[in-house]
Amino acid sequence: MRRVLFFIESLGQGGAEKILVDLCGHIDRSRFDVTLLVVSEGGAHWDAAARSGVRLRCLFTRAAAESAGLRGLWYRVRYHLLRRLPPRMAHLLFIRGRYDTEAAFAEGLATRLISRAGKRCRKLAWVHIDPIGDPHADFLFNSRVEQEEAYRRFDRVLCVSSGVRAAFENKFGPLPNLAVQYNPVDTESIRRRANESADPWNAAFSEVGGRLRMLCIARLVKAKGVDRLLRACARLRAEGHAFSLLILGEGPMRGELETIIEDGKLGDCVRLAGYLPNPYPALRGTDLYVCASYAEGFSTAATEALVLGKPICSTDCAGMREVLGDQPCGLLTENTEEGIYAGLRTLLSVPARVEELRAAALRRGKEFSLAARLDEIEQML
């Protein structure tokens, strides 16, 4: 049996975190002994990971992170060392254990440490984001050269879409170990969970009849573009278009977004509903899924919307053309606030267009295969 370690910094809300937990829940246990390692315990997907049956390890407990006094100081010292020690030394001190394969399932810290796993260990790195449009991982490396050298130490660097691969090569140049590996999508679970709880739309709005229901699932951070989506919606509302927008997710921009909603007089048609552990009833109830991101990889939420037969309106960011495939199941807009406004205005002005996209979305949603992607990943492991 092959011993496998997956390392990701946290199990907070996010597409990569959810994909990893789904992967761990379906991997062949007769062939792989899997450990899932995170920096700190807790997070939106922690309980699901614990239920998956894999070994779940954390470097730091929640109690240590929240402690005062000497215990809290020791936690902060160790956390600083984890990020700033030379990666080989940090790997020896913190990762521990012997594994046949070690996989960095996110950019940044995981990539930095796993790149220095032992020579006999097979090393894999996942790239879930456009590294140019979303360069959040760069600060963990001293230079772009150091980051590129880390990636060169892996047996495979797995980009989740061709768009991500193109952006990666544009930033770091072509690497011989670079490949495209699409994420597994658990379509059966999505459809089952869509019926597990009540539709949250009626809880968010007193009435939604006669209005186009739009849904956006995103962390409330700059890269997801929710602020420009709200500004576009304010313009549409001022023109008299009827719609409701439900936004699922949390993040540091909540206060700023609440101000945009207030200033744009969107209080009766837009809701920041927070993070929902099960977003699928909301997806089931929507008419249109909206992605306003500056950068994506292979959008998990957009894929899940298609599984439930919901058309997409998205900025033309990395991976989105591959999410839509060759089906006319969505509308791609320019990756600007003006593009988002123009795309939504088109769909709000011609409701029949949304119906046409819905039929294609149902067809596209049936094309995603959990079994095929799992088999590919298991071969990589």
Side-chain angles (χ1 to χ4, degrees):
M1 183 176 292
R2 194 165 185 84
R3 294 164 298 178
V4 176
L5 175 76
F6 286 104
F7 182 29
I8 192 168
E9 192 161 355
S10 78
L11 290 175
Q13 54 172 321
E17 294 83 350
K18 182 184 183 303
I19 290 295
L20 177 55
V21 172
D22 284 347
L23 173 59
C24 288
H26 289 90
I27 200 166
D28 187 348
R29 303 296 170 75
S30 68
R31 298 172 58 201
F32 301 100
D33 180 358
V34 179
T35 297
L36 173 53
L37 176 65
V38 297
V39 174
S40 300
E41 70 175 321
H45 298 290
W46 176 268
D47 290 342
R51 293 192 299 268
S52 71
V54 301
R55 289 183 178 83
L56 184 56
R57 281 181 53 202
C58 61
L59 300 180
F60 307 122
T61 65
R62 182 182 299 151
E66 295 174 352
S67 294
L70 289 176
R71 189 182 183 189
L73 176 61
W74 179 230
Y75 160 77
R76 291 190 293 275
V77 168
R78 287 184 298 155
Y79 192 81
H80 178 78
L81 291 174
L82 173 68
R83 288 176 169 266
R84 295 305 170 194
L85 281 175
R88 179 59 179 159
M89 186 179 298
H91 187 281
L92 288 171
L93 288 174
F94 290 98
I95 303 299
R96 301 188 305 276
R98 292 186 177 182
Y99 301 96
D100 300 303
T101 299
E102 294 188 16
F105 207 74
E107 310 78 14
L109 180 64
T111 299
R112 184 172 183 268
L113 266 62
I114 300 301
S115 72
R116 298 313 298 259
K119 292 182 178 180
R120 296 182 180 180
C121 175
R122 182 168 175 79
K123 296 181 286 294
L124 306 177
W126 262 262
V127 183
H128 291 272
I129 51 93
D130 171 347
I132 296 176
D134 185 3
H136 73 272
D138 292 357
F139 81 97
L140 282 161
F141 297 88
N142 293 321
S143 67
R144 183 173 298 186
V145 171
E146 181 186 53
Q147 192 174 6
E148 179 187 336
E149 289 176 348
Y151 277 115
R152 287 186 180 276
R153 294 190 184 98
F154 286 89
D155 295 279
R156 287 287 186 275
V157 176
L158 304 173
C159 299
V160 298
S161 70
S162 295
V164 167
R165 176 173 180 162
F168 186 97
E169 290 182 325
N170 192 23
K171 183 169 185 172
F172 299 111
L175 272 64
N177 56 352
L178 203 60
V180 173
Q181 177 59 61
Y182 294 119
N183 286 328
V185 180
D186 190 349
T187 57
E188 291 184 7
S189 175
I190 292 167
R191 295 186 180 108
R192 181 184 70 251
R193 295 183 64 195
N195 296 301
E196 281 184 356
S197 60
D199 186 337
W201 285 91
N202 290 331
F205 302 100
S206 59
E207 65 85 20
V208 291
R211 296 192 285 179
L212 184 75
R213 295 182 178 189
M214 303 190 298
L215 178 70
C216 176
I217 302 175
R219 286 175 291 115
L220 306 185
V221 295
K222 191 66 178 179
K224 297 300 181 180
V226 179
D227 54 336
R228 58 180 181 171
L229 170 60
L230 291 178
R231 288 191 291 268
C233 285
R235 293 173 62 184
L236 294 166
R237 181 62 190 275
E239 293 172 1
H241 293 285
F243 60 87
S244 296
L245 172 62
L246 192 62
I247 299 170
L248 305 184
E250 279 296 350
M253 288 186 68
R254 172 176 272 274
E256 179 181 338
L257 300 178
E258 288 173 342
T259 299
I260 296 174
I261 291 171
E262 182 179 357
D263 292 345
K265 298 180 173 55
L266 296 170
D268 64 340
C269 64
V270 175
R271 292 288 186 277
L272 298 176
Y275 174 79
L276 294 183
N278 181 4
Y280 305 119
L283 271 174
R284 184 193 70 212
T286 196
D287 299 311
L288 181 70
Y289 182 79
V290 182
C291 171
S293 295
Y294 289 90
E296 284 286 344
F298 191 85
S299 172
T300 300
T303 304
E304 293 171 337
L306 291 173
V307 168
L308 294 176
K310 305 303 176 180
I312 309 293
C313 181
S314 173
T315 51
D316 191 0
C317 52
M320 198 56 70
R321 290 180 182 271
E322 289 161 89
V323 170
L324 299 181
D326 58 3
Q327 297 281 355
C329 54
L331 179 65
L332 290 178
T333 75
E334 289 185 1
N335 200 336
T336 62
E337 182 179 320
E338 186 65 27
I340 296 167
Y341 160 76
L344 291 179
R345 187 173 185 273
T346 296
L347 295 176
L348 287 166
S349 301
V350 188
R353 179 65 177 143
V354 177
E355 291 300 319
E356 294 173 3
L357 296 175
R358 181 179 291 118
L362 282 168
R363 294 192 297 270
R364 174 58 174 158
K366 295 176 181 178
E367 295 177 4
F368 296 107
S369 169
L370 174 66
R373 300 290 85 77
L374 273 174
D375 183 64
E376 293 166 357
I377 291 171
E378 287 177 353
Q379 293 299 320
M380 292 283 184
L381 296 176

